[in-house]
Amino acid sequence: MNHLFTKKDIWSLVWPLMIEQLLAITLGIADIIMVATLGESAVSGVSLVDSIFIFINQLFAALATGGSVVCSQYIGKGSPELASKTAKQLLITVFVSAAVVAAIGFFSMNGLLGALFGNIEPDVMQNASTYFFWMLVGLPSVAVYNACAALFRAQRNSRISMFTGFVINVLNIGGNAIMLYGLHSGVEGVAIPTFIARTTAAVILLVLLYEPRRNQIFSIKGIIRTKPDVYLIKKILQIGVPNGLENSMFQLGKILVITLVATFGTGAIAANAASNTISAFEVLPASSIGLAMLTVIGQCMGAKRPDEAVYYTKRMMAAAYISMAALNVPLLLSARWLIGLYGMSPETTELGWQMLMCHGLTGIVFWPASFTLPNALRAANDARYTMIVSLISMWTVRVGLSYVYANTFGLGAFGVWVAMSTDWVFRGLFFVIRFKSGKWKNRQLV
């Protein structure tokens, strides 16, 4: 039997994802470095709001994942018409949902920030409020962009979102430079270019999805006249809701952990923010392979080839481990220099270096099993299992042990990163057991 994917097919799917994520990480670093010129209070305010928006964005990323899995399975099944209908339902759902969340955010902004970060310094709160407002303005654009990118990946086309990633970086970094250095803006000088860049990228992807092109399996032509389809929306939510609960509760736990970090002062917040940005480089290859798994395993399951799904999962997991080791060794060797680029105080820089070393050393061994492998299970409609394991691990291991390590053991903000590594061990073990059991192969979606 011929395989659905050749090595070239998978590589053609993975390498643009790596570049796309590299661009996103580079943008994050550029944002933090640029806003750092406004002082540690600006860095802290932006990083605290980012933690909230990562939480919100994960909800829409989960819906995008649900839509892409359903589309991938319909493509594997040989039903491009149903894939096209699913794509339209996904885009309408994420746009309306994002608009509603943004409206709620505008009315509850002050109360929410006060409840979460009420004990922070006044200048940090002011910067957080300004940044929060502009992030809400751009939320629908971000949600639509992520959904469009996921739909292109479902068609084995990850190059489109890679190219739009270049557009985002140019508009965003260029806009930051103009507003911060030319117009001498505050944190809005980082937020407004982000809104402009994301909105431009979302429009580009919508236009490309609308008109069928070569190698494009489906389009969203006629989306304006599309009415809600309960059957297809339920299919999307079958993956999206468990994944959304998993992601949102995961990010909520991270927000609570960040409130713990905030109790150790502005320096700890800044070190945590800088380390989080750089640590994203350390998981870039395994994360990209995980995104590709949604397409590969989804199409295998749609084509009723579960054994082939096992074959591809094993090969892609091997690639994830090899690439993680190859990337992390040089990153760890240069970690002190990298964290020094942020221009923070010596004490804050030292704390950031410790956080990076903890993340990189444990990530090589445990991260792929914790975050790459479960995407294979989600693509096979086993999202409920990944949700249960992730929620238990997040709240009992990561959140619980963060307080134990930070306060009882006296590790301070560094204890949060030790607890995170412990969490990876726990969840990775359960995902490996689930994969080996084969129970995920019998959960039909389409």
Side-chain angles (χ1 to χ4, degrees):
M1 181 177 61
N2 293 327
H3 287 301
L4 285 177
F5 293 83
T6 64
K7 292 180 180 179
K8 183 179 179 181
D9 292 335
I10 295 178
W11 175 240
S12 295
L13 185 60
V14 170
W15 74 259
L17 289 173
M18 290 186 179
I19 294 178
E20 180 185 351
Q21 293 200 69
L22 177 63
L23 290 169
I25 296 168
T26 303
L27 180 58
I29 292 177
D31 276 351
I32 293 293
I33 291 177
M34 287 179 162
V35 81
T37 61
L38 301 174
E40 286 192 358
S41 64
V43 175
S44 299
V46 169
S47 67
L48 291 175
V49 171
D50 272 341
S51 67
I52 298 175
F53 271 89
I54 291 173
F55 166 74
I56 296 173
N57 288 338
Q58 287 298 326
L59 293 174
F60 299 109
L63 288 176
T65 296
S68 68
V69 168
V70 176
C71 287
S72 293
Q73 291 214 11
Y74 275 133
I75 291 170
K77 190 178 181 179
S79 302
E81 299 84 4
L82 286 173
S84 180
K85 291 180 180 179
T86 302
K88 296 173 188 176
Q89 296 298 320
L90 172 64
L91 288 171
I92 293 171
T93 301
V94 297
F95 178 79
V96 172
S97 301
V100 170
V101 171
I104 294 172
F106 284 126
F107 287 107
S108 62
M109 180 168 60
N110 293 331
L112 178 61
L113 293 177
L116 290 173
F117 312 120
N119 294 325
I120 60 177
E121 300 169 7
D123 55 343
V124 176
M125 179 61 77
Q126 178 60 44
N127 286 320
S129 297
T130 301
Y131 194 69
F132 190 82
F133 172 83
W134 284 105
M135 289 297 99
L136 286 174
V137 172
L139 183 60
S141 297
V142 173
V144 170
Y145 171 80
N146 288 335
C148 288
L151 290 173
F152 274 111
R153 287 196 294 270
Q155 301 177 78
R156 306 190 184 189
N157 187 346
S158 54
R159 297 189 184 189
I160 295 295
S161 55
M162 177 190 69
F163 289 130
T164 54
F166 281 108
V167 174
I168 290 173
N169 275 41
V170 170
L171 292 177
N172 207 328
I173 296 176
N176 289 351
I178 292 171
M179 295 199 68
L180 291 177
Y181 307 141
L183 302 178
H184 304 290
S185 302
V187 294
E188 67 272 13
V190 176
I192 293 175
T194 298
F195 162 66
I196 294 173
R198 292 291 183 181
T199 301
T200 301
V203 170
I204 291 172
L205 291 186
L206 283 172
V207 170
L208 292 175
L209 272 175
Y210 192 83
E211 289 292 342
R213 288 170 171 78
R214 184 172 62 89
N215 297 329
Q216 188 168 319
I217 300 174
F218 60 80
S219 78
I220 59 169
K221 194 167 187 176
I223 188 172
I224 302 299
R225 301 184 301 274
T226 299
K227 297 180 180 179
D229 187 318
V230 176
Y231 175 79
L232 291 177
I233 292 176
K234 285 177 64 177
K235 292 291 184 185
I236 294 171
L237 296 180
Q238 194 169 331
I239 302 293
V241 168
N243 197 28
L245 287 173
E246 175 186 340
N247 290 346
S248 60
M249 290 300 100
F250 181 81
Q251 294 303 327
L252 178 59
K254 289 182 70 174
I255 291 174
L256 293 179
V257 168
I258 288 175
T259 62
L260 171 62
V261 172
T263 64
F264 295 100
T266 301
I269 299 173
N272 189 75
S275 301
N276 268 324
T277 304
I278 298 175
S279 66
F281 277 108
E282 297 176 345
V283 301
L284 188 150
S287 177
S288 302
I289 291 170
L291 286 175
M293 270 190 179
L294 293 172
T295 299
V296 174
I297 306 307
Q299 291 195 18
C300 287
M301 298 304 292
K304 310 302 181 196
R305 297 188 182 188
D307 291 339
E308 198 163 347
V310 173
Y311 168 79
Y312 285 124
T313 301
K314 290 180 178 178
R315 291 184 66 88
M316 296 177 80
M317 283 298 296
Y321 273 105
I322 293 171
S323 58
M324 279 284 288
L327 178 62
N328 272 262
V329 170
L331 275 178
L332 290 173
L333 291 175
S334 58
R336 193 178 294 277
W337 173 78
L338 288 170
I339 202 72
L341 293 175
Y342 287 86
M344 300 179 292
S345 66
E347 295 79 10
T348 302
T349 300
E350 179 65 21
L351 177 59
W353 175 77
Q354 293 174 3
M355 292 172 171
L356 276 180
M357 294 301 291
C358 176
H359 186 279
L361 291 172
T362 55
I364 294 174
V365 182
F366 302 112
W367 201 94
S370 302
F371 295 99
T372 306
L373 180 59
N375 268 358
L377 303 179
R378 294 183 188 104
N381 192 28
D382 201 17
R384 184 179 178 184
Y385 179 84
T386 64
M387 175 193 70
I388 293 172
V389 170
S390 296
L391 291 183
I392 293 174
S393 183
M394 182 67 193
W395 290 97
T396 61
V397 180
R398 183 175 296 199
V399 175
L401 289 182
S402 288
Y403 285 86
V404 172
Y405 289 154
N407 296 319
T408 306
F409 290 178
L411 295 179
F414 177 67
V416 169
W417 291 67
V418 178
M420 175 175 61
S421 300
T422 309
D423 169 46
W424 297 347
V425 177
F426 180 87
R427 69 174 64 219
L429 175 63
F430 276 85
F431 290 145
V432 169
I433 291 173
R434 181 68 168 188
F435 178 74
K436 287 185 173 295
S437 73
K439 293 180 181 179
W440 55 276
K441 294 189 287 186
N442 301 315
R443 302 185 61 83
Q444 184 173 349
L445 178 63
V446 301

